[in-house]
Amino acid sequence: MKTAKSALTLVPLMACLGLLGAAPASLPVDFDSGSFAEFVQQGMESWEVPGMAVAVVKDGEVLFLRGFGVLRLGSDKAVDKDSLFAIGSTTKAMTAAALAILVEEGKIAWSDPVVRHLPEFRLHDPVMTRQVTVGDLLTHNTGLGNADFLWYGKSNSRDEIVRRLRFLEPSTSMRSNFTYQNIMYLVAGEVVEAASGITWDSFLTTRIFQPLRMDGAVPVASAWAGFPNVAAPHDRLEGTVATIENASVDAVGPAGSVWSGVEDMSKWMRMLLDEGKAPDGRQVLSAKSVEELFQPRVIVSGNGFYPTTELTQPHWTTYGRGWFQHDYRGKKVDFHTGSIDGMSAIVGLIREQSLGVCVLLNLDHAELRHATMYQVFDLFGDGASRDWNSDIKNLYDKRSAAARERSEEAEQQRVEGTSPSLALDHYAGTYQDPLFGAFEITHDDGRLRGVYGPALQGWLDHWNYDTFRIRWDAAWRGTTLVSFVLDHRGRVKRLELGNASFARAPTEPRPSGSGTPK
C-alpha cells in the first residue's frame, strides 16, 4: 500500500517531470462549433442519451453553450442552456470552495480539528476523532470505507447520518489510503454551518451562486419542485432506456445535491479559471484559495481512479480538494464526475490553458461525458485526436460484459434443490443495527417482503438454504442476496445483507398465563 503524500512532495515531483508550468502553450485553434455539435449528436445516438447540455469556456469566454435532445423520453420539451440537471459529485468542489471562503475570513483553518467546530463529532476511533482536520474531510483519506448505506434510499437526517459515524469501523489507518467517501463531505457541510451560522444550502446560494449570477442553480433537489425546465433521469431497464425516479441526495447535500443548468456551470468554471473572479469582475474566491483547492493532496492508485486511464495513460493520478487530477499530453487536468440514479455529469479544467468543459446528461453513467471532455482537450492540444466516442464506448462495453459474466458465475453457484430451514413466517420481524439501522421483513400471502428505507423495498425469492434474493421494486437498483442466520435452537438471530449484519429485535413478550416460563 502506498502512503499518501502531501502536496509539498507531489508538486516538486510533477515539476521535475515537466508537468506543471512547463508545457507548451496551446496551439491557436478556430473552434468549429458545428463540427463539435456533430460529435456530440453522434455520441448521443451511440450512447442512447435522451438529453444533454455542454459548455466550453476558453480564456474567459464562452465558446460553446448548447442543449441537445429532450428533458424526458416521450416528451417534446427540448434541453436548453438553462435546463436543470443533477450535477452530482461535482458539488464537492463547491463545498470545498465554501470552506475556502471561511478560511479567508479567518473563521476556520484547514488544519483545525473538526471537533473544534463540531464538538459532538465522533468516529469509532477516539484518536481519529481528535485528529481529523477540516482539510481531511475533502481528501477521502480519513481511513473510513464507503458508507453510502447511511443515506441512499433512506430517510435519515443529516444529523443522524453524522451521529452514526461513531459506529463505522475504519477500513484503513488514517491518511494511509484513498477511499472515496461521501459522508465526510456532509461533515464538511456541517462545519460550514457551524462556522458561518447559516446552513450549507444557504451559504452556497448566498456566497457562491448569487455572486456568480448562477440564478437558476439550486443547492438541493427539493428546491426545484414545480420548476418546468428540469431533466428527468433515465436508465437501461432490460436493455431499453426508460425514465426512472429521482434518487434524492439532499440528505448528504454537500457531497452531491446541486442541480444546475449548463450556462450557470459555465460561470462557475470561468471563476475558477480566472483566479476566483466572477465574470463581472467581483472576487468570489481569492487567487490563493483557488490554488489551495487545486493543489494535489493524495496519490490515487490505479484501481481508485477512472477506467479511462487505460486510454489516457497518465504518469500520475491525484486528488486535491474536490478534484481528481492527472496529466494528459503534458498538461495537468483537474476534473470530477457526478453520478446519481439516471443522471451523469463532468466538469473538467486545464487551468494553464484557461480551458474548461462541463457536460450534463440525463442517462445513468453515460460515459459520453468523458469522451466529450477529452475531445475538447484535444481540440486545444497539439492537433492529435482519437475517436473518443468509439474508444470510450468500447472500453465501457467490455467492462459491462465482464460484469455480466461475474453475475452469471454467481448464478451458477446457486445450489439447486434446497429449501428454507423454517416456515416463511418465522423469518418475518425487525432486524436492527446501530450503524446500518432497521431492516423490516414481513410475511404477506406466502411471500416475504423487505423494507430497508423508503426507496429500498422489494419481494424476496428463495435462492438456496436460508438465503433469499430481494428484487428491489425500483428495477434499476437490481437485486441483492439476503441471508438469515439461525442460532442453536433453530431460531433466526440475524440477517445479513452484503457487509451489513442486522440482529433480530426481541419479539413482544407473551401475555401472562400463556405458559411462557417466568
Side-chain angles (χ1 to χ4, degrees):
M1 181 184 299
K2 293 183 179 180
T3 302
K5 298 182 180 180
S6 70
L8 295 177
T9 303
L10 290 166
V11 172
L13 170 64
M14 287 187 273
C16 290
L17 292 172
L19 298 172
L20 284 180
S26 59
L27 298 176
V29 174
D30 291 328
F31 184 79
D32 187 339
S33 60
S35 295
F36 181 66
E38 288 180 11
F39 167 86
V40 172
Q41 290 169 327
Q42 290 170 3
M44 289 180 67
E45 291 178 9
S46 178
W47 292 87
E48 299 182 90
V49 174
M52 175 174 172
V54 184
V56 178
V57 301
K58 179 78 169 75
D59 298 325
E61 300 295 328
V62 180
L63 295 187
F64 190 88
L65 189 67
R66 182 171 166 183
F68 299 83
V70 293
L71 296 173
R72 176 189 294 267
L73 275 179
S75 167
D76 60 358
K77 292 185 178 179
V79 173
D80 60 35
K81 62 185 177 59
D82 298 316
S83 300
L84 291 185
F85 287 77
I87 72 166
S89 286
T90 67
T91 298
K92 289 180 170 64
M94 297 177 178
T95 297
L99 287 174
I101 292 172
L102 292 169
V103 171
E104 291 174 7
E105 295 176 348
K107 295 180 178 178
I108 62 173
W110 294 114
S111 59
D112 283 350
V114 172
V115 290
R116 179 174 298 176
H117 303 283
L118 302 176
E120 301 303 315
F121 175 72
R122 293 289 183 276
L123 296 178
H124 191 272
D125 183 338
V127 175
M128 289 175 63
T129 299
R130 295 192 298 270
Q131 292 185 350
V132 170
T133 68
V134 171
D136 289 329
L137 298 175
L138 306 180
T139 51
H140 306 290
N141 67 338
T142 59
L144 297 181
N146 183 286
D148 288 343
F149 55 82
L150 289 173
W151 65 271
Y152 183 80
K154 309 295 192 306
S155 56
N156 294 330
S157 67
R158 292 179 181 177
D159 287 344
E160 176 64 12
I161 293 169
V162 174
R163 186 191 71 81
R164 290 196 195 178
L165 283 173
R166 67 194 64 194
F167 303 117
L168 179 64
E169 296 186 22
S171 58
T172 67
S173 58
M174 189 172 168
R175 304 191 187 105
S176 68
N177 192 45
F178 178 93
T179 303
Y180 197 80
Q181 225 284 348
N182 283 306
I183 309 302
M184 288 296 97
Y185 268 81
L186 168 57
V187 178
E190 297 295 285
V191 171
V192 169
E193 179 172 350
S196 68
I198 60 176
T199 65
W200 169 86
D201 312 47
S202 297
F203 192 95
L204 225 61
T205 300
T206 58
R207 301 301 301 275
I208 294 179
F209 294 165
Q210 290 177 1
L212 288 175
R213 300 288 191 264
M214 295 174 64
D215 299 329
V218 293
V220 289
S222 58
W224 58 251
F227 286 16
N229 193 9
V230 181
H234 299 80
D235 204 342
R236 287 182 175 83
L237 302 180
E238 298 182 352
T240 302
V241 175
T243 306
I244 64 171
E245 298 171 4
N246 273 305
S248 176
V249 193
D250 292 2
V252 285
S257 67
V258 168
W259 286 66
S260 177
V262 76
E263 182 174 34
D264 282 342
M265 292 300 290
S266 74
K267 299 172 185 176
W268 164 246
M269 291 191 294
R270 289 165 69 190
M271 181 272 289
L272 293 171
L273 293 168
D274 191 20
E275 298 185 321
K277 297 187 186 71
D280 65 3
R282 285 188 294 174
Q283 201 78 40
V284 178
L285 278 174
S286 70
K288 179 181 178 182
S289 288
V290 173
E291 286 300 319
E292 178 74 24
L293 298 178
F294 292 106
Q295 286 293 325
R297 298 287 162 184
V298 181
I299 291 176
V300 183
S301 63
N303 60 4
F305 213 77
Y306 292 83
T308 49
T309 55
E310 292 184 29
L311 303 175
T312 58
Q313 295 292 303
H315 296 86
W316 48 267
T317 50
T318 57
Y319 197 86
R321 299 199 196 279
W323 295 92
F324 283 96
Q325 302 161 317
H326 72 95
D327 62 293
Y328 178 63
R329 294 187 172 180
K331 298 179 178 65
K332 176 173 175 279
V333 172
D334 297 281
F335 76 105
H336 212 296
T337 57
S339 304
I340 189 62
D341 294 11
M343 292 280 190
S344 306
I346 198 167
V347 176
L349 310 173
I350 297 182
R351 296 174 60 232
E352 65 190 273
Q353 290 184 272
S354 192
L355 174 64
V357 56
C358 175
V359 184
L360 307 175
L361 311 97
N362 61 357
L363 178 65
D364 195 80
H365 284 84
E367 301 311 333
L368 174 57
R369 57 186 172 181
H370 283 283
T372 304
M373 181 179 76
Y374 288 115
Q375 179 76 6
V376 170
F377 291 164
D378 281 356
L379 287 174
F380 293 91
D382 58 10
S385 187
R386 64 192 303 165
D387 186 351
W388 281 110
N389 270 333
S390 177
D391 289 352
I392 286 187
K393 192 164 193 314
N394 288 339
L395 172 67
Y396 279 91
D397 283 349
K398 289 178 182 177
R399 292 176 64 85
S400 296
R404 286 193 296 272
E405 288 181 9
R406 290 192 296 270
S407 178
E408 291 169 2
E409 290 173 0
E411 189 81 26
Q412 292 169 2
Q413 294 173 4
R414 179 179 184 179
V415 181
E416 300 289 348
T418 66
S419 300
S421 301
L422 307 172
L424 290 184
D425 62 327
H426 287 236
Y427 296 96
T430 300
Y431 298 81
Q432 296 177 326
D433 180 81
L435 173 63
F436 296 105
F439 199 117
E440 188 78 23
I441 298 291
T442 59
H443 179 248
D444 183 19
D445 195 26
R447 296 188 69 189
L448 295 177
R449 183 167 176 80
V451 177
Y452 188 34
L456 291 173
Q457 304 183 25
W459 294 100
L460 278 68
D461 297 316
H462 184 247
W463 178 258
N464 55 213
Y465 301 110
D466 291 313
T467 296
F468 295 75
R469 178 169 59 186
I470 185 168
R471 296 181 182 274
W472 303 110
D473 293 344
W476 59 94
R477 295 188 174 116
T479 62
T480 308
L481 292 180
V482 177
S483 296
F484 296 90
V485 180
L486 279 56
D487 63 17
H488 66 283
R489 297 175 296 177
R491 298 179 181 178
V492 180
K493 66 176 182 178
R494 71 175 186 271
L495 175 154
E496 294 180 349
L497 178 81
N499 295 325
S501 181
F502 304 78
R504 186 165 190 170
T507 57
E508 290 293 322
R510 295 183 184 179
S512 196
S514 65
T516 303
K518 298 292 191 291

